[in-house]
């Protein structure tokens, strides 16, 4: 039986944030081709996409710094 990965292990190995088993990238994360990301998790089917409004907070903070 496979032991469950911790959150830190999943981050360092670039695994799915939901199930911690599926790969997020098509190439190893520590190579030069790490920019090719899968659309969905191969294990649980989670869609890897940015939520609507993700950059709104950064826009407001950036505006405050520039003013």
């Amino acid at each position: 039986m496979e032991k469950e990965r911790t959150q830190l292990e999943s981050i360092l190995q670039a695994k799915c944030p939901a199930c911690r088993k599926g790969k997020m990238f098509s190439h190893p994360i520590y190579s030069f081709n790490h920019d090719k990301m899968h659309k969905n998790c191969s294990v649980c089917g989670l869609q890897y996409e940015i939520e609507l409004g993700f950059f709104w907070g950064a826009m407001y903070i950036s505006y405050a710094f520039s003013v």
Side-chain angles (χ1 to χ4, degrees):
M1 185 170 190
E2 182 181 338
K3 75 175 187 95
E4 189 172 329
R5 289 184 176 93
T6 64
Q7 189 172 10
L8 181 61
E9 287 175 334
S10 298
I11 291 170
L12 293 176
Q13 295 173 0
K15 298 294 182 180
C16 173
C19 68
R20 299 180 183 168
K21 294 178 183 176
K23 291 182 177 181
M24 288 182 64
F25 296 94
S26 58
H27 298 288
I29 187 68
Y30 301 111
S31 70
F32 291 110
N33 296 330
H34 71 279
D35 59 345
K36 304 276 192 268
M37 191 170 175
H38 294 294
K39 298 282 184 194
N40 297 330
C41 176
S42 60
V43 178
C44 68
L46 177 73
Q47 286 186 327
Y48 301 132
E49 61 181 31
I50 296 175
E51 295 178 10
L52 295 173
F54 181 77
F55 294 106
W56 283 93
M59 247 177 25
Y60 285 121
I61 292 171
S62 174
Y63 177 75
F65 280 133
S66 65
V67 169

